[in-house]
């Protein structure tokens, strides 16, 4: 318990430092202003990783991931999906707003595409870009693959993996890694099986890793679901996947 508390305090302190090294990048979707974040190595020609945050918008977990990816030699860009003035105040609002983009997946894909353009403008090599996403952002990572967005691979981290079954399965050229907590009540066996079928129908290069004794937000140190051992494993799996496809 003490170790976990100390780790959480350490991570929170690190986030404050890391955040100071992230630069705000403003961009537009029509009249809607969006405010993303880019790492301090922007402008260099490096592989890039787009980070899609969870359902409450840009948070500490996304910022920490960006800083850690910069250490690994990537330009990281944290996308603003909701836009200025639309950040959810609580879980109810987050569920409603995230639900809109899940249902209107083309709007979600468009916001992801706009963020990818900003990542490239900030130096990311256009044919060496991946997407990772947490929770709602994990859904977005899968939508990047479904929408054939110009990325090499995607990582869905405790994302909602279900898809409206009226949507047809299509070809998927993007490599996919799904990091699935075993005890995520938001993922049904039907969701899981449908995703496997979708990826197989699309002849995708895919992998699902399931983490034992892990609930939904198992990678977030601020969450009561946090599982330190499994979170570290998941991050190492993410880095291994990114190294394979981007370097």
């Amino acid at each position: 318990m003490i170790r976990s508390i100390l780790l959480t305090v350490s991570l929170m302190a690190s986030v404050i430092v890391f955040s100071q090294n992230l630069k705000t990048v403003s961009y537009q979707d029509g009249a809607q202003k969006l405010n993303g974040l880019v790492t301090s190595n922007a402008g260099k020609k490096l592989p890039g990783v787009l980070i899609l945050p969870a359902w409450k918008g840009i948070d500490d977990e996304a910022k920490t991931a960006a800083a850690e990816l910069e250490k690994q030699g990537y330009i990281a860009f944290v996308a603003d999906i909701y836009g200025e003035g639309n950040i959810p105040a609580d879980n109810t609002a987050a569920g409603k707003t995230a639900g809109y983009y899940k249902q209107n997946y083309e709007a979600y894909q468009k916001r992801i595409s706009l963020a990818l353009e900003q990542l490239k403008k900030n130096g990311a090599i256009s044919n060496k870009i991946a997407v990772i996403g947490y929770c709602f952002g994990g859904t977005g990572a899968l939508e990047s693959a479904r929408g054939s967005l110009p990325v090499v691979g995607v990582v869905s981290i405790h994302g909602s993996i279900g898809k409206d079954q009226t949507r047809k399965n299509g070809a998927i050229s993007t490599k996919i890694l799904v990091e699935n907590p075993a005890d995520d009540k938001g993922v049904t066996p039907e969701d899981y099986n449908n995703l496997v079928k979708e990826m197989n129908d699309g002849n995708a290069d895919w992998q699902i890793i399931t983490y034992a004794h892990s609930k939904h937000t198992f990678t977030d140190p601020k969450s009561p679901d946090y599982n330190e051992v499994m979170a570290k494993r998941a991050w190492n799996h993410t880095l291994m996947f990114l190294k394979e496809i981007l370097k």
Side-chain angles (χ1 to χ4, degrees), residues 42-120:
K44 299 179 180 179
K45 289 297 179 181
L46 295 168
V49 180
L50 180 67
I51 301 170
L52 303 179
W55 68 341
K56 285 188 175 180
I58 296 175
D59 58 12
D60 289 344
E61 186 167 28
K63 293 176 184 178
T64 300
E68 291 298 324
L69 288 168
E70 180 177 3
K71 293 178 183 178
Q72 298 295 324
Y74 303 107
I75 298 172
F77 188 89
V78 186
D80 177 7
I81 299 300
Y82 299 148
E84 188 171 280
N86 298 315
I87 306 304
D90 52 33
N91 288 349
T92 300
K96 182 178 179 179
T97 307
Y100 169 83
Y101 285 99
K102 288 179 182 179
Q103 293 174 7
N104 297 276
Y105 64 90
E106 290 179 337
Y108 198 0
Q109 291 172 355
K110 182 182 180 183
R111 290 281 168 94
I112 297 168
S113 294
L114 292 171
L116 285 170
E117 287 300 316
Q118 293 302 316
L119 178 56
K120 287 188 281 188

Side-chain angles (χ1 to χ4, degrees), residues 158-205:
H158 56 79
S160 175
I161 62 177
K163 183 187 76 170
D164 183 347
Q165 290 304 294
T166 63
R167 293 171 63 184
K168 294 182 179 180
N169 293 338
I172 299 176
S173 59
T174 308
K175 298 179 189 296
I176 297 173
L177 171 62
V178 176
E179 298 180 352
N180 180 55
D183 302 324
D184 189 341
K185 294 181 180 179
V187 175
T188 68
E190 183 180 16
D191 290 335
Y192 186 98
N193 292 334
N194 286 338
L195 178 63
V196 171
K197 184 178 186 303
E198 178 186 4
M199 294 188 292
N200 283 336
D201 286 351
N203 196 32
D205 177 340

Side-chain angles (χ1 to χ4, degrees), residues 28-47:
Q28 299 286 140
D29 182 3
Q32 178 62 62
K33 183 179 181 181
L34 306 164
N35 297 304
L37 297 173
V38 71
T39 46
S40 62
N41 56 354
K44 299 179 180 179
K45 289 297 179 181
L46 295 168

